Amino acid sequence: MSKRYVSAWSEDDALDGERVKAFVVILRTSGCSWYRSTGGCSMCGYNEESETTSGEDLIFQFTKALEGYDDERVIKVYTSGSFLDPAEVPLDARDRILSEARDRAERIVFESRPEYVKNIDGDATGLEVAIGLETADDDLRENCIGKGFSFEDFTHAASTARDRGATVRTYLLMKPPGLTERGALEDVRASIEATSSLSDVISINPMNIQRRTKVERLWQKGRYSPPWLWSLVEALGTEIDAKVVSHPSGGGKARGAHNCGECDDAVLGAIRRFSLDGQRHRLDISCGCIDLWKAQLDLEDRALAEGIDYRKDPRMGTIPLVR
Ligand code: SF4
Ligand SMILES: [Zn+2]
């Protein structure tokens, strides 16, 4: 039983085009049901934080975390899985937490797999459901991530959420295992196009290699490398109606999206500013390593075309090409 929430903090965010503060709480729940029944998705290590937790404990954790609340206009309530899964957040705890949060903030954000979105009761105005679709490509989602739901499941869930008055935040994963750098970029671009009409916000999460995951095992064997920040910058520039943002976890580190090391802080700063105000000129940045990134895109294309099983990642040396 756990009465300790994982963490809570205040951060910059955007609300209907305005720059605001958001209060973020991560609750310690019993974890994602999908993880418990199948071993989870290839990149997910969130369940490291999980412990058996009752609804009463969750209300206690949330109330305790609120002691640090400072009139932020957005509250984000995250768990290690789905806030709308009654096996993870019992209904009475869910309702109480939502009601406390709605009394304080204008927008309440939480995450859920699509199958639980039908559990939203009543008027959901002011709620934002974040769904980890990861990619619009069903084959990739199934074979490289192991997510266990289809694009159609996502579209139903997003429509249900909107019908009830909620907004939808769609998470896309940049560079699931098995893709080249260009393949990852094209997948994110195609996924942005495919989800823009169903999303109020699209949040691109470049791969961050978490401990004790399938992706970590591939990375340790030299069969996977996280994306370049340049690929993320390129994807963020896609012109669509929905707002596209990114808050890269592990950005600039070996396990996260990174560039040459010299320009990483500047590029991450540009991505952060763009994600807050949507001003495209924020992304007008450069560094000599952009040529290495372009060379990798071309080299991998040529290697694939010629059936060569190696590529040269300018950041890492020679590593096997993952197809
Ligand atoms: S990525 Fe989401 S659905 Fe997949 S195991 Fe992790 S918490 Fe569960
Ligand atoms: Zn650089």
Side-chain angles (χ1 to χ4, degrees), residues 234-254:
E234 190 79 6
L236 285 170
T238 310
E239 303 237 6
I240 51 147
D241 290 339
K243 187 171 160 48
V244 186
V245 301
S246 183
H247 307 281
S249 304
K253 308 249 168 57

Side-chain angles (χ1 to χ4, degrees), residues 228 230 258-264 267 286-290 292:
W228 285 76
W230 292 129
H258 58 278
N259 282 349
C260 65
E262 293 292 313
C263 64
D264 293 49
V267 177
S286 197
C287 173
C289 73
I290 211 162
L292 295 176

Side-chain angles (χ1 to χ4, degrees), residues 32 34-35 40-41 43-44 46-47 80-81 113 134 147:
C32 171
W34 179 248
Y35 187 95
C41 303
M43 72 303 186
C44 181
Y46 297 141
N47 287 269
S80 25
R113 285 176 59 90
E134 319 301 4
K147 202 86 196 187

